[in-house]
Amino acid sequence: MSAPERPFALAGKRVWVAGHRGMVGSAVVRRLAREKCEILTVGRKEADLRRQDQAEAWLALAQPDAVFLGAATVGGILANDSRPAEFLYDNLAIETNVVQGAWKAGVKKLLFLGSSCIYPRLAPQPMKEEHLLTGPLEPTNQWYAIAKIAGLMMCQAYRRQYGADFISAMPTNLYGPGDTYDLRGSHVVPALILKAHVAKQSGAKSIEVWGSGSPRREFLHVDDLADALVHLMVNYSEEQTINVGTGQDVTIRELAEKVCRAVGFQGGLDFDASKPDGTPRKLLDVSRINALGWKAKTGLDQGLADAYAWYLAHVAKAA
Ligand code: GDP
């Protein structure tokens, strides 16, 4: 394999966004529209990435120079906990098929997406990249985490054995346009937006918030993530994964209050202690990506207002 290109300029390149219908993939496609590259996408009907023959055939045909690997089976705390086989199988299959297929097709650069939930449950906060694999995982999302850890390791392995310029990034909890709005499968931001919107419409006095309200989470707008991923594709070429976040967190109670303000719902919050809290705190140390010259731009209040506007235009309107 030829020596990696550094920086990896996107102009004139064929860039495949795997998972372009998802929240992350669609944000990457929006962001790439500003680069002078050719964007490639493929639907699940044409290439089911869980099938090795289909994934490899697509890569051999499309011949991308670069791949953003955002295709994954994802979901909130309950979805993860109740569909362990799907979370493990789908994600392992997608990443092994795409990484191996990309290497065989001569892809010059690949960026794989991990997730902050794959750090140990009780990792020191804020979490640094070197905390990966230093302790037991959070049980509610261990299936997804194991699969994503395997994906990260694949990128490292292909770099070590074959010299492939495959990198991985570790985004924190995401929200924004393209999010999934259904109460059982959603992450906390869309779930609370949906609940607050419905409560405002019906005149309900309060909304239900799972758990105690005390866990702390960091939330990154997906358009900020897409911008970071393009920055990394161009500028980052190391074996170690790299965190992408805002470096700031809030409690779930604070988040719920902010969501109610963004939606204009003035009722109260009912905490349901029968639902799981999950990891007590999840905050990334973002000093490495900041040192590379990238910082998140969207504040949480502004980002939640943007997410609610997208919900009104795309989900509430369709319903
Ligand atoms: P996590 O970051 O992997 O735990 O994923 P989630 O986004 O699903 O949940 C984050 C936190 O928000 C957890 O402590 C949840 O219990 C809490 N939470 C509060 N209300 C809700 C809700 O309606 N839906 C979800 N998914 N989480 C909620």
Side-chain angles (χ1 to χ4, degrees):
M1 195 167 248
S2 52
E5 214 184 298
R6 290 181 191 155
F8 185 81
L10 286 171
K13 297 264 172 35
R14 293 167 62 76
V15 183
W16 176 32
V17 181
H20 69 286
R21 294 219 171 86
M23 175 168 64
V24 171
S26 55
V28 172
V29 168
R30 282 196 297 280
R31 174 63 187 79
L32 284 175
R34 287 172 17 215
E35 305 294 319
K36 293 186 177 60
C37 61
E38 186 182 346
I39 303 169
L40 311 175
T41 59
V42 65
R44 189 178 296 188
K45 282 209 187 85
E46 296 146 83
D48 182 338
L49 302 178
R50 294 169 299 183
R51 306 274 90 85
Q52 184 179 18
D53 52 348
Q54 296 182 31
E56 291 195 357
W58 156 254
L59 275 154
L61 180 77
Q63 290 288 310
D65 299 300
V67 177
F68 286 89
L69 181 36
T73 290
V74 298
I77 193 165
L78 208 63
N80 253 277
D81 212 17
S82 52
R83 291 161 42 209
E86 274 173 76
F87 275 84
L88 193 53
Y89 174 81
D90 288 5
N91 289 310
L92 281 172
I94 291 168
E95 65 209 26
T96 48
N97 295 339
V98 174
V99 170
Q100 165 77 2
W103 171 66
K104 276 170 69 176
V107 165
K108 297 189 188 83
K109 192 146 187 185
L110 177 145
L111 196 170
F112 174 75
L113 280 171
S115 161
S116 65
C117 70
I118 78 183
Y119 280 115
R121 171 183 161 77
L122 298 176
Q125 303 289 323
M127 299 182 282
K128 291 180 186 296
E129 289 84 352
E130 58 261 34
H131 293 144
L132 191 67
L133 287 170
T134 55
L137 300 167
E138 158 60 34
T140 54
N141 59 29
Q142 59 181 323
W143 319 96
Y144 179 77
I146 286 288
K148 285 285 177 179
I149 291 169
L152 244 70
M153 302 287 289
M154 285 201 61
C155 292
Q156 296 183 359
Y158 279 66
R159 175 179 295 277
R160 284 197 193 178
Q161 188 173 345
Y162 305 129
D165 195 3
F166 292 178
I167 59 172
S168 66
M170 200 79 106
T172 193
N173 286 31
L174 302 169
Y175 70 98
D179 220 335
T180 303
Y181 282 86
D182 83 86
L183 287 180
R184 287 189 62 80
S186 289
H187 283 103
V188 61
V189 172
L192 292 179
I193 288 178
L194 182 56
K195 288 181 197 178
H197 176 77
V198 170
K200 183 173 97 170
Q201 302 288 70
S202 69
K205 290 201 170 55
S206 60
I207 59 167
E208 187 187 274
V209 181
W210 296 355
S212 62
S214 59
R216 302 187 68 91
R217 295 285 185 278
E218 175 188 21
F219 297 99
L220 179 69
H221 192 284
V222 71
D223 286 335
D224 279 349
L225 172 71
D227 190 57
L229 297 180
V230 168
H231 191 80
L232 293 172
M233 180 63 94
V234 175
N235 298 300
Y236 190 70
S237 269
E238 285 174 37
E239 175 179 300
Q240 193 178 31
T241 190
I242 183 158
N243 288 341
V244 188
T246 63
Q248 286 170 353
D249 62 355
V250 291
T251 65
I252 295 301
R253 176 190 290 275
E254 286 162 347
L255 172 74
E257 289 166 355
K258 283 178 182 294
V259 167
C260 290
R261 274 202 296 280
V263 171
F265 171 63
Q266 288 167 349
L269 305 174
D270 284 334
F271 289 94
D272 177 358
S274 72
K275 294 285 196 311
D277 266 346
T279 309
R281 189 173 189 203
K282 242 195 287 184
L283 176 65
L284 293 179
D285 182 317
V286 288
S287 38
R288 287 181 67 237
I289 192 165
N290 289 351
L292 271 184
W294 185 88
K295 268 202 167 73
K297 293 187 194 78
T298 314
L300 187 52
D301 293 314
Q302 182 199 338
L304 291 173
D306 179 56
Y308 183 50
W310 186 88
Y311 166 81
L312 287 176
H314 294 87
V315 186
K317 210 164 150 196

